Amino acid sequence: MEKPRVLYWFRTDLRLHDSPALKAALDLDPAVLWPIFTWDPHYVYRSKVGVNRWQYLLDCQNDLSDSIKKLNPKSKLFVVREAPQTVLLKLFWAWKVTHLVFERDTDTYARERDRVVVESARKAGVEVVTRYGRTLWDIDDVVAKHGGKPTMSITQLQAAGNKVGAIPKPIPSPKHLPDPGEMPVDFEHDRPDTERDLNAPLRSKTDKTYNSVAGPKGDFAIETLEELGFSAATTPHRGGETIALEKLAQIIADQEYTATFQKPKTNPTAFEPQATTLLSPLLHFGALSPRLFYWRVQEVVEKYGKNASHPPESLTGQLLFRDMYFAAQAAIGSPFPQALNNAHVRFIPWHLPSKVDDGTETGTNAISGEYHIDSPQAEKWFQRWKFGVTGFPFVDALMRQLRVEGWIHHLGRHMVACFLTRGGCYVHWERGADVFEELLIDHEVACNAGNWQWLSCTAFYSQYYRCYSPVAFGQKWDKNGDFIRKWVPELKDMDAKFIYEPWKASKSALDKAGVKIEGDGLGGGMEQGTSTYPGPMFDFGERRSACIAAMKTAYSIGLHGNDERVRNSTWKELFENAGETEMEAVHGSDDDGHGAPLEKGKNGGKHGRTKSDAVKEGPMDRHVKKLKAP
DNA sequence: GAAAACGTTGGCTGG
DNA sequence: CCCAGCCAACGTTTT
């Protein structure tokens, strides 16, 4: 009996430590083993990936490749430049593969992709071996123990997880790796359709990723940013398993930090160093095993004794939330990252709703990433949010940090997400999720979509009256505004009294700080090196009231994403009858938004106190932080 | 069945 | 400085 010839397919597990799938591959006692990564067009062209996340992925790939080379100088991470759905079958034949081994992935696209690959393996007589190690528990087991339903709270996740059993203990890294076999590529190369390249606007040069299966030098080298058509990354954060294990060791070494970590008490304005671990991008690419992280923390917690923090606030609690979102996504499937057709997501008539993609690429009316500009005002607010020129310094600081670093603190994400959706702009959470998808180095579909649903109060969370203030929330941690001074240098000399709301500063205070409050920030004033900073794009207190009232109306109507009336647009009548005019308070009827604009004062309706009433009364004014007179 | 408690992490005032 | 209590009030789970 000949020894197995194993193709090990790395995907979201770019590490050697604690890899159940890699262990299974080595347990086959292979004659040869090829560690490969397939360069998937779904990621390269059909997902938005900003330059910082590309850099982070390349870091992880290069570090893994170096580690493989240390175990066996003849081997490395071989990058195969073709869609796995087509290329793996060709490799099965050309390389005489007997076994394909990979770690399972419960993301919607990955499941479908893997189904195709497994089918092609069956045709080629290749045995497929899979294991799972991407989350604490096997997510399919969690869903099964939860009756096939999505886990919509942390208690549900914990209950289902406990039924699955103990979280597996980490597996050591392998001590050796077999040689790779021969790698002929004398087969036809399928190139992907690049006509619809979501990343085209982000590339400064044409991408050459797919010129040949084995890359420009024919050596299966890891691609470079330049090859992808990107200019240099701006993030200071670097990826890779080596860094992951070092960072974890540093965190664990601080036993008090590890054992008493309470997420709500960590400071979103802290920088150099930030208040949380920054392990999320490493978990995303699999450079760090969540189970290793869990058990290392757990050892410290147990040793620390009764003063340790507990889930959900603790460090391990953060990992539980990750499992919760993965399990929710696994149960809901393709509608998970969108509102449409999603029975678990509340319907709110947000501005800038997604266009529906009737194409067949993903089926089931998946959103296309494009959106309707139902309100020019909301579109402008969205653009100003996206580029960090809202005129609210704390929001702008966070959005600029996000663009440069690809990372902001979790509570900072809460702030800007609440502001864009239910607590300010009333823009669809899918727009915000799109921007985060492009800019975050730790972007995880399940966690991103789930958290946007949470913050917009459309799923997981419903206390929409708890609203983050762009002034008070940051001041809670950073009275002096150092975080703003770093990211919004126009305001670096501003008096601390006004740095969160510079529009309230007197002319002399502004002159002293060298600041001019002017324009909408979109005209490029910043690039000219002036200290012009835009005024606030709306009255926050007014918008907060209008949004809360509109949310109340939407909640009382009670539609969800799978409702027939959502799909056929008859929902509009319901909202018209209820007086849904969230924009009215701002600028009357120049918005062609949801339903016919109503005249002020005609929206009494059956829902009693409407947002117009609330705005006229102005009872929420006290929620806008008023500074004491100097 | 009704009421209370709970739910990852709000803001503000007054003591 | 910290904290309790209020605001106006959601859905779900527990009692």
Side-chain angles (χ1 to χ4, degrees):
Chain A
M1 182 86 179
E2 278 185 53
K3 279 187 165 185
R5 300 168 58 83
V6 174
L7 196 60
Y8 187 84
W9 184 18
F10 280 101
R11 303 117 55 89
T12 51
D13 56 329
L14 299 178
R15 65 173 180 273
L16 296 180
H17 74 271
D18 191 28
S19 172
L22 186 57
K23 180 177 187 300
L26 296 172
D27 285 349
L28 292 167
D29 189 22
V32 292
L33 182 144
W34 299 269
I36 68 157
F37 186 94
T38 52
W39 205 227
D40 192 330
H42 179 79
Y43 197 77
V44 182
Y45 301 113
R46 310 280 180 264
S47 311
K48 266 197 192 168
V49 187
V51 61
N52 287 328
R53 193 152 87 256
W54 285 119
Q55 176 65 62
Y56 209 90
L57 168 60
L58 302 187
D59 283 353
C60 291
Q61 290 182 328
N62 280 303
D63 184 70
L64 173 63
S65 194
D66 290 347
S67 300
I68 292 171
K69 280 187 235 170
K70 276 180 198 153
L71 290 184
N72 185 337
K74 290 182 188 161
S75 194
K76 65 175 184 179
L77 182 66
F78 299 100
V79 174
V80 176
R81 294 144 190 260
E82 192 178 314
Q85 294 94 325
T86 56
V87 80
L88 288 176
L89 181 59
K90 298 174 198 174
L91 298 187
F92 297 156
W93 294 118
W95 298 358
K96 301 185 175 63
V97 172
T98 64
H99 292 71
L100 173 70
V101 187
F102 59 86
E103 177 172 283
R104 283 196 300 282
D105 180 343
T106 56
D107 282 6
T108 305
Y109 165 77
R111 275 198 208 269
E112 174 57 18
R113 175 196 61 200
D114 296 348
R115 194 191 58 74
V116 172
V117 167
V118 168
E119 178 61 19
S120 72
R122 201 187 54 79
K123 273 187 216 153
V126 167
E127 195 177 321
V128 176
V129 176
T130 66
R131 293 290 187 274
Y132 188 80
R134 199 178 175 198
T135 49
L136 299 180
W137 289 284
D138 184 317
I139 285 305
D140 288 328
D141 289 348
V142 172
V143 174
K145 295 290 185 195
H146 196 55
K149 292 173 305 197
T151 46
M152 301 304 284
S153 72
I154 200 65
T155 21
Q156 288 176 3
L157 181 277
Q158 283 172 303
N162 290 339
K163 283 187 205 167
V164 173
I167 293 164
K169 297 273 181 154
I171 301 165
S173 304
K175 298 277 185 293
H176 62 88
L177 279 178
D179 292 349
E182 294 294 304
M183 306 179 77
V185 286
D186 49 350
F187 47 76
E188 205 168 307
H189 183 211
D190 278 275
R191 291 193 191 187
D193 166 26
T194 57
E195 265 178 44
R196 203 174 134 245
D197 173 9
L198 289 184
N199 295 308
L202 308 172
R203 299 185 206 273
S204 50
K205 283 176 281 184
T206 327
D207 104 278
K208 300 173 191 140
T209 318
Y210 279 95
N211 282 0
S212 66
V213 176
K217 292 178 187 161
D219 59 353
F220 300 94
I222 291 163
E223 59 297 324
T224 61
L225 273 188
E226 194 185 11
E227 203 186 325
L228 284 157
F230 287 100
S231 28
T234 55
T235 181
H237 307 301
R238 306 308 299 254
E241 183 183 15
T242 306
I243 287 175
L245 296 176
E246 283 168 8
K247 281 176 88 79
L248 180 61
Q250 279 169 16
I251 290 160
I252 297 309
D254 189 340
Q255 300 200 357
E256 187 174 351
Y257 175 86
T258 303
T260 64
F261 183 93
Q262 288 177 280
K263 189 62 155 283
K265 292 189 180 167
T266 58
N267 177 355
T269 67
F271 59 94
E272 287 165 10
Q274 71 293 325
T276 49
T277 64
L278 250 154
L279 293 174
S280 53
L282 296 158
L283 289 166
H284 168 66
F285 288 111
L288 177 66
S289 156
R291 294 168 185 174
L292 180 75
F293 183 15
Y294 179 90
W295 283 114
R296 288 282 181 277
V297 170
Q298 202 55 28
E299 285 159 16
V300 173
V301 165
E302 277 160 25
K303 209 161 66 180
Y304 197 82
K306 62 179 189 304
N307 290 329
S309 55
H310 300 282
E313 295 183 329
S314 66
L315 268 185
T316 54
Q318 309 313 303
L319 289 168
L320 294 174
F321 278 111
R322 186 167 171 272
D323 272 41
M324 179 188 81
Y325 286 131
F326 270 83
Q329 172 178 247
I332 292 170
S334 62
F336 183 73
Q338 62 192 39
L340 188 64
N341 289 336
N342 189 337
H344 299 274
V345 164
R346 200 170 278 281
F347 175 78
I348 311 282
W350 308 113
H351 295 297
L352 313 183
S354 298
K355 288 184 179 172
V356 175
D357 185 356
D358 293 327
T360 52
E361 188 173 312
T362 49
T364 65
N365 285 335
I367 57 166
S368 63
E370 295 175 357
Y371 59 93
H372 296 284
I373 300 178
D374 63 298
S375 156
Q377 175 66 85
E379 167 66 1
K380 190 164 182 190
W381 289 344
F382 174 51
Q383 293 302 325
R384 291 183 63 173
W385 176 85
K386 186 174 174 181
F387 292 99
V389 285
T390 64
F392 292 94
F394 187 47
V395 173
D396 293 344
L398 286 162
M399 291 306 292
R400 294 181 194 186
Q401 182 189 24
L402 171 64
R403 187 164 290 274
V404 172
E405 289 197 6
W407 181 90
I408 49 178
H409 185 282
H410 189 69
L411 295 180
R413 300 180 196 198
H414 279 209
M415 168 70 240
V416 298
C418 178
F419 185 85
L420 181 70
T421 57
R422 67 180 167 86
C425 306
Y426 218 65
V427 162
H428 205 300
W429 61 267
E430 289 168 7
R431 299 289 69 69
D434 282 348
V435 171
F436 274 29
E437 178 178 355
E438 176 189 329
L439 297 179
L440 281 173
I441 54 173
D442 59 14
H443 170 259
E444 190 78 75
V445 179
C447 300
N448 190 43
N451 276 317
W452 274 95
Q453 289 166 21
W454 185 301
L455 266 298
S456 63
C457 286
T458 53
F460 298 101
Y461 190 72
S462 51
Q463 290 166 253
Y464 54 74
Y465 44 86
R466 290 197 171 172
C467 192
Y468 291 86
S469 157
V471 175
F473 189 66
Q475 278 177 333
K476 196 157 69 180
W477 282 277
D478 182 14
K479 273 267 180 288
N480 191 45
D482 292 336
F483 178 73
I484 292 170
R485 292 174 210 277
K486 176 177 169 71
W487 290 104
V488 188
E490 303 96 293
L491 302 176
K492 68 180 176 354
D493 296 322
M494 199 69 202
D495 191 307
K497 269 196 290 258
F498 301 112
I499 193 159
Y500 282 86
E501 35 193 354
W503 62 89
K504 287 191 177 169
S506 65
K507 173 102 174 52
S508 65
L510 289 169
D511 285 347
K512 202 175 149 211
V515 180
K516 203 168 153 193
I517 303 291
E518 191 179 79
D520 60 12
L522 293 171
M526 287 185 321
E527 283 79 0
Q528 294 158 22
T530 70
S531 48
T532 301
Y533 182 74
M537 65 188 193
F538 45 59
D539 179 314
F540 175 73
E542 207 172 77
R543 287 300 301 165
R544 180 187 177 282
S545 306
C547 289
I548 288 178
M551 290 296 286
K552 182 175 176 158
T553 305
Y555 262 65
S556 70
I557 291 171
L559 299 180
H560 285 76
N562 64 333
D563 196 288
E564 187 54 31
R565 288 164 292 188
V566 170
R567 288 187 286 185
N568 67 18
S569 293
T570 55
W571 60 266
K572 285 183 184 175
E573 294 161 27
L574 295 173
F575 283 80
E576 279 167 29
N577 293 340
E580 166 51 58
T581 53
E582 152 273 334
M583 269 292 186
E584 168 186 307
V586 176
H587 59 110
S589 60
D590 70 315
D591 140 43
D592 62 342
H594 308 294
L598 297 181
E599 286 171 44
K600 282 197 181 188
K602 287 194 176 180
N603 56 353
K606 61 187 170 183
H607 294 288
R609 180 191 169 90
T610 68
K611 78 240 134 223
S612 277
D613 298 330
V615 167
K616 272 182 270 182
E617 289 167 20
M620 301 297 180
D621 285 356
R622 64 186 187 79
H623 287 283
V624 184
K625 177 81 176 170
K626 288 192 178 71
L627 284 160
K628 293 177 197 84

